[in-house]
Amino acid sequence: MKKSLFIIILCGFMWMIGCSTNSIPTEPLEFSYIDEKALQNPEQELTYSEIDGEYVHDFIDRNKDKTVRWTATVIRVDDERTFELQEPLLPTILVTVSDAPSQPIKVGDLVTFTGVLTGYGETYGKDPLWVVRPARLEKTTEEERSAVEAYRLAVENAKKETDSE
């Protein structure tokens, strides 16, 4: 009796651990956050109704077993695990990390993460917004930092060209 009770408790404990792991897939989704299409109309933020001819929500549903790796600047911190990121002319990203970072995330930090793209739409009154959860913070590479800086410069130039017309 004691042995079977122990096995039942052990199985229940293992089930609880398994359900709370928030695993992140290893297969990458080749979908970049930095999208040059945003430069085509620098007067407004880029929105997605489709990706490669597929309705955006169908694209997300079809790729929930893959992970994105994106880099962007923190614009709002909700708590130690949830924050928003954004680059000019691009949709905001709402990220929830599985584990709180050892160093607090602050507004203005450039952050790289991997995570599961789970949604796109309106949250906190903002539209559009990518939702990524669960996620894990990663070390930003020099290549990622350079890509964000080059994109920001391209946005500034596109806006200047629009203003001068």
Side-chain angles (χ1 to χ4, degrees):
M1 175 71 171
K2 287 184 181 183
K3 198 180 247 186
S4 62
L5 182 59
F6 175 75
I7 291 173
I8 291 171
I9 291 172
L10 182 62
C11 288
F13 182 70
M14 297 300 283
W15 177 76
M16 287 174 41
I17 289 172
C19 289
S20 66
T21 56
N22 288 335
S23 63
I24 298 171
T26 56
E27 185 180 353
L29 173 59
E30 299 302 324
F31 181 61
S32 178
Y33 172 66
I34 302 295
D35 194 335
E36 302 293 325
K37 287 185 279 189
L39 303 174
Q40 295 170 0
N41 188 3
E43 295 92 28
Q44 66 183 33
E45 193 172 287
L46 180 65
T47 59
Y48 292 86
S49 58
E50 61 180 49
I51 299 169
D52 297 330
E54 184 176 16
Y55 180 57
V56 66
H57 297 291
D58 293 339
F59 175 84
I60 291 168
D61 282 343
R62 190 172 51 80
N63 289 291
K64 281 190 178 172
D65 60 339
K66 298 178 183 172
T67 185
V68 293
R69 180 180 172 115
W70 288 347
T71 302
T73 304
V74 176
I75 60 167
R76 186 175 88 89
V77 176
D78 190 37
D79 60 41
E80 64 184 9
R81 293 182 41 236
T82 304
F83 38 90
E84 289 183 15
L85 306 128
Q86 187 175 30
E87 290 304 321
L89 304 179
L90 296 173
T92 302
I93 310 165
L94 177 65
V95 177
T96 303
V97 294
S98 299
D99 299 315
S102 56
Q103 298 291 323
I105 300 293
K106 301 181 299 285
V107 171
D109 288 352
L110 187 67
V111 172
T112 300
F113 63 89
T114 56
V116 180
L117 181 60
T118 59
Y120 178 79
E122 184 176 334
T123 305
Y124 298 116
K126 293 182 96 59
D127 188 25
L129 180 111
W130 293 113
V131 179
V132 179
R133 58 174 63 119
R136 168 180 61 244
L137 294 177
E138 304 285 354
K139 183 171 174 55
T140 304
T141 66
E142 196 55 45
E143 183 179 303
E144 289 164 331
R145 186 177 306 282
S146 295
V148 169
E149 290 171 6
Y151 173 76
R152 288 179 188 159
L153 184 60
V155 167
E156 285 180 35
N157 290 336
K159 284 183 176 184
K160 285 179 187 175
E161 287 177 19
T162 301
D163 291 343
S164 66
E165 291 178 359

